């Protein structure tokens, strides 16, 4: 049975300013693994806009032992302090309403804090994670983002390195001159070494840069430092934003729930997004390190200097900063490839959210546990909204609006309304309808019909916005549709146009055409929508060959594959030889970017196929989907059989490894070619040879995954472990590759066996995700085994983790969110596991909220 008390629902409509503001915070830490003491001196002032007083003093606090407390130097008695599980209250008659000094001492137990929120231990290192509400596990405070204060910190401890936010005053003392909310507070202390550099800002200031890691890891920091310096320069040239402290620090931490955290001047990173060497990191690792380093640095202005008024505005900082890091990565690598990869991620994660029980607006209207709203909708869809806004107003107006945003709101905690108003003022436009993107959940569906008469093409678009939990009868949104027109010879028959669909039904006329063109719609994926249009495979092949927009060129091939695979799965259709020929034409076309060619050769994912089949009104069969993809891949390999070995050899990158986009693109295509070759070799000889000869992790892991997928590679799996057992991040990959690549009928057994391995530290989020998420999220056919063994295994491990780390558990529950799309038997099996979780007597509110939504 569930507990009788239900956590309260927090609603945007209930927002009120705090009764008191905070001016300054002085903290003194005396670190101890189990008995850390924290003394605080906090200067409060009354909020003159809250005239409904007198007010009690309500401070947030969790898992704290209060030693003493005073107001204006007068100690408070025990019966004057009302303490509960969420904080403490001082009656209003004891609180000077115009302002006062609060002093307190508390004791915490970092070693027992397995939630990894607040102050905790990571293999002997003290670490903090305060976003969203972790600071309340450090001391009693107004732990909300609109309360911003200047922090001064002093740290005592028996470890050599003592770090906090801001400028270093020496002897464990730190001062951050910029007011910040408590969620941006950071402290790290431990046996660390630093990798040092410096940066000269556009105005000539010298900034010291330091990356702190465990001894022995300093040789894996060069790329992260290079990415940091490039990010700093890019933010100056593209956004005019200069860094504002004398020191910028990054710390790599092994036990971390998220990717990284943008704490002012002291970014704390999951070590997997800092540490890299050619032998231990893949090309994808390097790409992620570059992007995440940039993301957290860019938060210095879009998140720190300007922050959120409340957590409902999370997309204000995250959507904007994701868009900025996507721009940076495009400039650093390939805009075309980067855009395709971003959309693949959006569709795999965010479209899945929008289509299921966890759908919510970019700016949610209510929550029970805020940690559950660090979602693809807030981040990835939030970034798409920024991209649409830039498309609509133009690059120059976008920059003008951002300049005004920084000028108007520096040092403030803001809302989406503030953000929209900046654009309306800077661009002299009305964005009230566009703002619906922030308040309406779901993925709009767009249909289009064509009529060509004389020299005029008439395009008629229809927009529908499906119902989502709690939202029906939605209004039409503003959808920018970049549209190209191709002549029969592949040239542009007319200039590209931006068609703005802002009604449920709207037509556009394109005049002066000689012949009916082939349409290239939604170029660059100019809006996060589902575009439904009747087309032919011949037209897709034409676009794949001639479209000047790389995204739509790729999309044509993907849609071709998607339709063919569905026909094979649902109607037992044969492989279309024309498709295999089209794939060959792309694979051997040396005029195309190798990374782009690799993306075209990659078939739609099993999850994408399952969703497409479900949307046709049929329950997808995971086994049939797996088999069809294998059949089509072998058909493409057969068509390319005369080319594969030559391509494979040509794509080798001799000489020392470099992580640049050109070399990484060649390795990506070479990996795709290796995968095709393996369908033609019974003994996977090429993959075995590549594994033996590989001098970099990208090619070693590519070969290993290929062997495992074909039921081979036992010796190579052991050899990989023997080689890398001392490297914790590489062993994470070892766990993942085995469960993600295992043949579907063996995946559950492989996963179960690996949970018994001596290196499976399930309390470490990286290791837990590498195995449990690797199985549930990356091996759909194995997870959806008919007998339900995959569901039971997954639920077992969610139940085990929840009391230890609710935040990671809740996020992992998304593996069950699509349960309603499958056949009745699988639905019943998944529902039983979900109910089993929901019925736990001490289930965390994090997990209870997500499981409740999935079930209901």
């Amino acid at each position: 049975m569930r507990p009788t008390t239900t956590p309260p629902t927090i609603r945007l409509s209930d927002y009120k300013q705090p009764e008191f503001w905070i001016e300054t915070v002085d903290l003194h830490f005396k670190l101890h693994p189990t008995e850390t003491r924290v003394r605080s001196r906090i200067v409060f002032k009354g909020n003159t806009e809250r005239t409904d007083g007198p007010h009690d003093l309500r401070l947030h606090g969790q898992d704290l032992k209060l030693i003493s407390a005073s107001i204006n130097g007068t100690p408070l008695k025990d019966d004057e302090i009302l303490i509960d599980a969420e904080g403490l209250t001082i009656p209003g008659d004891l609180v000077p309403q115009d302002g006062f000094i609060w002093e307190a001492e508390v004791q915490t137990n970092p070693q027992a804090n397995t939630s990894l929120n607040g102050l905790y231990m990571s293999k002997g290192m003290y670490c903090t994670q305060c976003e969203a509400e972790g600071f309340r596990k450090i001391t009693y405070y107004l732990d909300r983002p609109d309360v911003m204060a200047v922090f001064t910190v002093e740290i005592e401890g028996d470890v050599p390195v003592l770090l906090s936010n801001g400028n270093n005053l020496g002897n464990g003392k730190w001062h951050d001159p910029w007011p910040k909310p408590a969620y941006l507070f950071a402290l790290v202390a431990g046996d660390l070494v630093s990798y040092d550099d410096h940066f000269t800002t556009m105005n000539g200031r010298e900034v010291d840069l330091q990356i702190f890691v465990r001894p022995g890891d300093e040789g894996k920091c060069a790329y992260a430092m290079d990415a940091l310096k490039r990010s700093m320069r890019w933010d100056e040239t593209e956004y005019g934003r200069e860094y504002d402290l004398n020191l910028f620090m990054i710390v790599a931490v092994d036990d971390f729930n998220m990717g990284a955290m943008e704490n002012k001047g002291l970014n704390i990173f999951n070590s997997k997004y800092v540490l890299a060497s050619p032998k231990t990191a893949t090309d994808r690792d390097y790409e992620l390190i570059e992007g995440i380093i940039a993301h957290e640095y860019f938060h210095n202005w879009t998140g720190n200097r300007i922050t959120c008024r409340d957590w409902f505005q999370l997309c204000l900082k995250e959507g904007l900063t994701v868009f900025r890091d996507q721009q940076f990565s495009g400039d650093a690598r390939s805009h075309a490839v980067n855009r395709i990869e971003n959309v693949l991620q959006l569709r795999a994660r965010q479209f899945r959210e929008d289509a299921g029980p966890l759908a919510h607006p970019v700016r949610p209207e209510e929550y029970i546990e805020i940690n559950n709203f660090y979602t693809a909708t807030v981040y990835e869809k939030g970034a798409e909204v920024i991209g649409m806004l830039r498309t609509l107003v133009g690059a120059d107006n976008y920059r003008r609006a951002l300049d005004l945003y920084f000028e108007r709101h520096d040092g403030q905690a803001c809302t989406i309304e503030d953000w929209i108003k900046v654009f309306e003022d800077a661009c002299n436009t009305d964005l009230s309808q566009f703002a619906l993107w922030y308040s309406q959940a779901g993925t709009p569906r767009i249909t289009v019909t064509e009529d060509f008469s004389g020299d005029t093409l008439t395009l008629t678009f229809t927009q529908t916005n499906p119902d989502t939990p709690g939202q029906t009868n939605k209004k039409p949104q503003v959808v920018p549709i970049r549209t190209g027109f191709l002549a029969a010879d592949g040239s542009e028959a007319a200039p590209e146009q931006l068609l703005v669909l802002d009604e449920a039904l709207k037509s556009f006329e394109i005049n002066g055409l000689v012949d009916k063109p082939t349409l290239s719609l939604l170029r660059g994926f100019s809006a996060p929508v589902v575009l439904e249009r009747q087309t032919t495979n011949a037209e897709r092949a034409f676009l794949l060959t001639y479209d000047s927009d790389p995204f739509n060129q790729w999309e044509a091939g993907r849609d071709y594959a998607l339709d063919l695979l569905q026909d094979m799965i649902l109607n037992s259709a044969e492989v279309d030889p024309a498709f295999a020929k089209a794939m060959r034409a792309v694979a051997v076309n040396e005029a195309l970017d190798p990374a782009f060619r690799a993306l075209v050769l990659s078939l739609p994912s099993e999850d994408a196929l399952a969703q497409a089949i479900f949307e046709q009104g049929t329950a997808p069969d995971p086994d049939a989907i797996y088999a069809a993809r294998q059949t089509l891949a072998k058909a493409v390999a057969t068509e390319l059989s005369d080319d594969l070995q030559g391509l494979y050899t040509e794509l080798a990158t001799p000489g020392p490894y470099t992580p640049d986009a050109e070399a990484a693109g060649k390795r990506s295509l070479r990996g795709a070619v290796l995968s095709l070759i393996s369908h033609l070799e019974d003994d996977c000889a090429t993959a075995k040879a590549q594994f033996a000869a590989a001098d970099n992790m990208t090619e070693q892991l590519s070969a290993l995954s290929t062997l495992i997928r074909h039921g081979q590679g036992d010796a190579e799996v052991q050899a990989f472990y023997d080689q890398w057992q001392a490297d914790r991040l590489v062993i994470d990959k070892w766990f993942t590759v085995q469960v993600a690549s295992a043949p579907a009928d063996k995946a559950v057994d492989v996963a179960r066996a690996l949970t018994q391995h001596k290196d499976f530290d399930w309390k470490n989020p990286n290791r837990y995700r590498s195995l449990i998420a690797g199985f549930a999220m990356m091996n759909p056919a194995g997870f959806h085994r008919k007998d339900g063994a995959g569901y039971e295994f997954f639920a077992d491990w969610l139940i085990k983790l929840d009391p230890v780390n609710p935040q990671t558990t809740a996020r992992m529950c998304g593996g069950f969110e699509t349960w309603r799309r499958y056949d009745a038997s699988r639905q019943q099996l998944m529902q039983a596991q979900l109910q089993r979780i929901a019925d736990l007597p001490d289930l965390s509110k994090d997990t209870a909220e997500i499981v409740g939504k999935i079930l209901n």
Side-chain angles (χ1 to χ4, degrees):
M1 294 178 63
R2 294 299 317 282
T4 56
T5 57
T6 301
T9 297
I10 311 300
R11 294 182 173 84
L12 172 61
S13 58
D14 292 336
Y15 171 81
K16 290 182 179 180
Q17 288 187 0
E19 294 85 357
F20 303 95
W21 298 110
I22 295 177
E23 294 181 325
T24 61
V25 181
D26 290 84
L27 299 174
H28 181 278
F29 288 82
K30 189 171 184 178
L31 298 176
H32 185 278
T34 59
E35 298 178 351
T36 288
R37 290 289 184 101
V38 184
R39 295 201 309 269
S40 59
R41 183 182 188 275
I42 303 171
V43 178
F44 285 86
K45 65 175 181 179
N47 183 350
T48 56
E49 295 187 24
R50 287 293 302 268
T51 59
D52 52 335
H55 301 110
D56 295 345
L57 175 63
R58 174 64 181 173
L59 300 180
H60 302 105
Q62 293 177 352
D63 303 326
L64 302 174
K65 179 182 179 181
L66 182 64
I67 307 299
S68 64
S70 67
I71 290 180
N72 288 339
T74 301
L76 292 164
K77 301 173 184 177
D78 289 348
D79 61 0
E80 294 174 328
I81 307 172
L82 308 176
I83 297 179
D84 57 54
E86 299 297 326
L88 61 74
T89 304
I90 309 300
D93 58 354
L94 300 176
V95 181
Q97 298 294 301
D98 57 347
F100 56 92
I101 296 174
W102 163 268
E103 293 179 281
E105 183 173 7
V106 301
Q107 180 175 299
T108 71
N109 185 346
Q111 195 163 279
N113 183 8
T114 61
S115 71
L116 309 187
N117 284 304
L119 177 65
Y120 65 93
M121 303 293 292
S122 173
K123 297 177 176 65
M125 180 196 307
Y126 295 89
C127 183
T128 58
Q129 170 56 34
C130 294
E131 187 177 357
E133 296 177 339
F135 192 79
R136 61 191 62 188
K137 291 189 174 185
I138 294 174
T139 192
Y140 288 104
Y141 197 77
L142 285 179
D143 190 6
R144 45 187 289 171
D146 55 351
V147 175
M148 304 172 71
V150 172
F151 279 67
T152 302
V153 178
E154 183 175 2
I155 311 168
E156 290 182 51
D158 58 2
V159 291
V161 175
L162 306 169
L163 307 176
S164 192
N165 309 81
N167 294 317
N168 190 349
L169 305 181
N171 299 315
K173 296 180 180 179
W174 298 83
H175 177 69
D176 185 354
W178 302 102
K180 65 174 179 281
Y183 83 84
L184 291 172
F185 171 80
L187 179 151
V188 176
D191 181 11
L192 300 167
V193 294
S194 66
Y195 182 91
D196 299 347
D197 208 328
H198 67 276
F199 180 82
T200 305
T201 72
M202 61 185 182
N203 287 318
R205 285 192 310 103
E206 290 295 319
V207 178
D208 292 326
L209 308 178
Q210 293 183 295
I211 298 178
F212 286 90
V213 296
R214 296 183 185 278
D217 286 335
E218 56 268 37
K220 299 178 182 179
C221 298
Y223 192 77
M225 182 63 80
D226 177 65
L228 173 60
K229 293 171 72 173
R230 288 187 285 115
S231 302
M232 296 176 80
R233 186 65 68 206
W234 187 90
D235 211 18
E236 290 180 344
T237 58
E238 298 301 315
Y239 281 82
R241 297 299 102 196
E242 183 180 40
Y243 186 61
D244 53 6
L245 290 170
N246 301 329
L247 173 66
F248 186 88
M249 298 172 288
I250 289 172
V251 182
V253 178
D254 289 342
D255 298 281
F256 206 66
N257 281 334
M258 295 187 271
M261 179 60 208
E262 71 268 19
N263 319 291
K264 183 71 177 181
L266 177 57
N267 285 189
I268 300 178
F269 270 66
N270 188 317
S271 56
K272 69 184 290 185
Y273 299 122
V274 174
L275 306 177
S277 71
K279 289 186 178 296
T280 62
T282 64
D283 291 328
R284 179 59 176 161
D285 290 331
Y286 278 98
E287 184 180 348
L288 287 169
I289 287 169
E290 179 180 71
I292 295 173
I293 291 277
H295 178 94
E296 304 307 335
Y297 175 75
F298 296 156
H299 265 313
N300 188 60
W301 278 91
T302 52
N304 296 2
R305 288 283 289 261
I306 304 175
T307 193
C308 306
R309 185 196 72 177
D310 52 71
W311 288 120
F312 296 101
Q313 321 296 329
L314 183 59
C315 61
L316 178 68
K317 73 182 185 79
E318 295 300 348
L320 175 56
T321 306
V322 169
F323 178 72
R324 278 159 38 81
D325 81 53
Q326 290 175 351
Q327 286 182 295
F328 168 78
S329 294
D331 285 350
R333 293 177 177 267
S334 161
H335 280 284
V337 171
N338 187 252
R339 185 59 181 148
I340 293 167
E341 290 175 344
N342 289 338
V343 173
L344 280 169
Q345 182 178 9
L346 180 82
R347 286 172 169 165
R349 297 177 60 228
Q350 197 282 316
F351 277 27
R352 172 172 163 151
E353 255 174 28
D354 262 351
L358 301 181
H360 61 273
V362 174
R363 180 171 68 178
E365 295 180 356
E366 63 181 39
Y367 63 80
I368 292 174
E369 172 51 62
I370 184 55
N371 287 324
N372 289 335
F373 275 109
Y374 285 74
T375 63
T377 297
V378 168
Y379 281 68
E380 274 74 36
K381 189 173 181 179
E384 294 295 316
V385 175
I386 306 296
M388 285 190 291
L389 190 53
R390 186 177 186 272
T391 297
L392 289 165
V393 304
D396 291 343
N397 278 335
Y398 173 81
R399 175 60 189 268
R400 186 178 301 112
L402 265 293
D403 288 343
L404 179 59
Y405 179 63
F406 296 128
E407 176 187 342
R408 180 180 289 179
H409 294 297
D410 186 14
Q412 296 180 14
C414 296
T415 65
I416 292 301
E417 284 74 18
D418 296 325
W419 167 253
I420 292 293
K421 185 67 165 60
V422 160
F423 273 82
E424 290 182 328
D425 292 348
C427 307
N428 192 27
T429 187
D430 180 1
L431 293 172
S432 55
Q433 184 182 5
F434 179 82
L436 292 172
W437 279 102
Y438 286 105
S439 59
Q440 292 190 167
T443 304
R445 307 186 79 87
I446 310 298
T447 60
V448 58
T449 58
E450 308 166 40
D451 180 69
F452 185 73
S453 180
D455 66 349
T456 300
L457 174 67
T458 302
L459 300 178
T460 301
F461 292 91
T462 302
Q463 173 185 172
T464 57
N465 292 278
D467 292 346
T468 51
Q471 289 190 338
T472 58
N473 302 318
K474 298 173 187 174
K475 298 177 181 178
Q477 297 178 184
V478 177
V479 181
I481 304 172
R482 286 179 49 208
T483 305
F485 312 90
L486 300 181
D489 63 357
S491 64
E492 302 284 335
E496 179 183 298
Q497 292 194 28
L498 179 64
L499 309 178
V500 180
L501 176 63
D502 53 9
E503 301 171 18
L505 180 69
K506 190 172 183 178
S507 295
F508 302 87
E509 289 187 353
I510 296 88
N511 301 306
L513 298 168
V514 176
D515 297 302
K516 185 178 185 296
T518 298
L519 290 178
S520 174
L521 289 168
L522 207 67
R523 282 184 161 179
F525 200 65
S526 55
V529 300
V530 172
L531 178 64
E532 298 171 339
R533 175 173 171 258
Q534 293 297 319
T535 188
T536 65
N537 287 336
E539 183 177 339
R540 290 172 178 142
F542 176 83
L543 292 170
L544 181 59
T545 304
Y546 294 111
D547 202 332
S548 61
D549 180 71
F551 179 85
N552 274 11
Q553 194 177 13
W554 167 81
E555 183 86 306
R558 180 185 180 278
D559 286 346
Y560 197 166
L562 200 60
D563 278 5
L564 175 56
L565 283 164
Q566 289 180 84
D567 201 19
M568 293 168 64
I569 294 162
L570 299 176
N571 305 312
S572 301
E574 298 294 324
V575 173
D576 180 1
F579 175 81
K581 292 182 186 299
M583 291 298 102
R584 178 185 179 277
V586 170
V588 301
N589 186 349
E590 295 183 359
L592 296 174
D593 180 351
F596 175 81
R597 289 148 71 188
L599 285 167
V600 173
L601 288 174
S602 301
L603 297 177
S605 70
E606 293 173 54
D607 189 72
L609 281 161
Q611 182 62 25
I613 291 168
F614 174 72
E615 288 176 357
Q616 290 190 25
T618 302
D621 180 345
D623 298 324
I625 289 171
Y626 177 83
R629 289 182 83 254
Q630 294 296 104
T631 299
L632 185 56
K634 186 168 185 177
V636 173
T638 302
E639 175 66 28
L640 273 157
S641 58
D642 293 338
D643 308 285
L644 289 175
Q645 286 294 345
L647 267 174
Y648 181 79
T649 302
E650 291 169 10
L651 290 165
T653 51
Y657 172 93
T658 60
D660 60 274
E662 181 179 357
K666 288 182 178 180
R667 283 188 291 270
S668 178
L669 181 55
R670 195 171 195 243
V673 169
L674 175 66
S675 180
L676 292 173
I677 289 172
S678 68
H679 284 282
L680 306 178
E681 295 179 338
D682 291 338
D683 59 355
C684 291
T686 305
K688 289 178 180 177
Q690 178 173 304
F691 181 87
D695 64 354
N696 63 80
M697 182 54 64
T698 300
E699 297 208 321
Q700 190 178 22
L701 204 61
S702 171
L704 185 60
S705 64
T706 298
L707 290 169
I708 295 171
R709 278 198 303 275
H710 288 271
Q712 301 190 37
D714 289 350
E716 287 79 6
V717 167
Q718 186 61 48
F720 189 94
Y721 177 80
D722 292 342
Q723 180 182 2
W724 297 114
Q725 59 185 300
D727 191 303
R728 58 199 184 279
L729 295 180
V730 178
I731 293 303
D732 285 340
K733 303 179 197 300
W734 181 77
F735 277 99
T736 299
V737 72
Q738 292 180 78
V739 290
S741 303
D745 60 337
K746 298 178 180 178
V748 177
D749 296 330
V750 170
R752 282 194 182 124
L754 285 171
T755 62
Q756 302 304 309
H757 194 279
K758 66 183 180 66
D759 287 344
F760 181 58
D761 176 8
W762 61 273
K763 293 183 180 180
N764 174 265
N766 283 355
R767 189 59 49 86
Y768 183 94
R769 286 188 289 254
S770 71
L771 176 52
I772 308 304
F775 166 72
M777 314 293 188
M778 301 173 70
N779 196 326
F783 177 59
H784 291 290
R785 209 171 83 174
K786 286 182 180 179
D787 63 0
Y791 309 145
E792 183 179 12
F793 169 81
F794 187 48
D796 285 347
W797 281 96
L798 293 175
I799 289 168
K800 187 167 185 174
L801 185 66
D802 184 66
V804 174
N805 189 331
Q807 185 176 345
T808 295
T809 308
R811 289 180 180 172
M812 294 279 288
C813 288
F816 279 129
E817 70 181 312
T818 59
W819 69 278
R820 292 181 188 275
R821 71 157 70 135
Y822 293 96
D823 59 83
S825 176
R826 285 185 172 95
Q827 282 192 33
Q828 209 168 33
L829 290 166
M830 278 189 273
Q831 187 179 23
Q833 296 301 328
L834 283 163
Q835 194 62 55
R836 178 178 155 223
I837 297 169
D839 288 341
L840 292 172
D842 297 315
L843 190 65
S844 70
K845 68 175 182 178
D846 307 59
T847 302
E849 180 179 23
I850 297 300
V851 170
K853 287 182 176 180
I854 292 173
L855 276 171
N856 298 322

